[in-house]
Amino acid sequence: MQMAMKVVENHPYVPEDMNIDTSKKSMSSKRLEMAAEILESSVFDEERDRHAPWRWPKDVWLQCDSCKRWFHQLCLGMTTALLNRFKKGKWKCCLCC
């Protein structure tokens, strides 16, 4: 993922610095950093995202009642019954628990 990220950041040029620290500590830290960046980008913005295709169908998405981020049912590993139960009540994502 780090290599792909460097290529995307430097597109259309080939990045010169492709040195990636693959130690367990560095990889773990980088995974957390990248996951946080992805999750921070998942906050819904009404103006920016009103026509976003990921919003439909709504029946497979769950919004955290605390941070307002959206999560996909399959990514959460939830059954439809569990998803529907949380939609009726309060639900907090793993970042807010």
Side-chain angles (χ1 to χ4, degrees), residues 3 12 18 29 32 38 40 51 58 62-63 72 82 92:
M3 185 179 79
M18 291 296 279
S29 174
L32 287 172
I38 290 167
E40 285 172 8
H51 300 296
K58 285 186 174 183
L62 184 61
Q63 186 178 30
H72 188 259
L82 188 57
K92 286 187 179 181

Side-chain angles (χ1 to χ4, degrees), residues 39-86:
L39 288 170
E40 285 172 8
S41 299
S42 72
V43 175
F44 179 72
D45 178 295
E46 184 68 39
E47 184 59 32
R48 182 194 68 208
D49 300 328
R50 65 180 164 194
H51 300 296
W54 58 264
R55 291 189 64 204
W56 310 109
K58 285 186 174 183
D59 59 336
V60 296
W61 291 92
L62 184 61
Q63 186 178 30
C64 175
D65 291 308
S66 182
C67 69
K68 305 303 181 199
R69 289 182 175 93
W70 288 91
F71 294 84
H72 188 259
Q73 174 188 358
L74 293 177
C75 296
L76 293 170
M78 279 189 186
T79 64
T80 300
L82 188 57
L83 179 79
N84 290 333
R85 189 177 105 204
F86 281 126

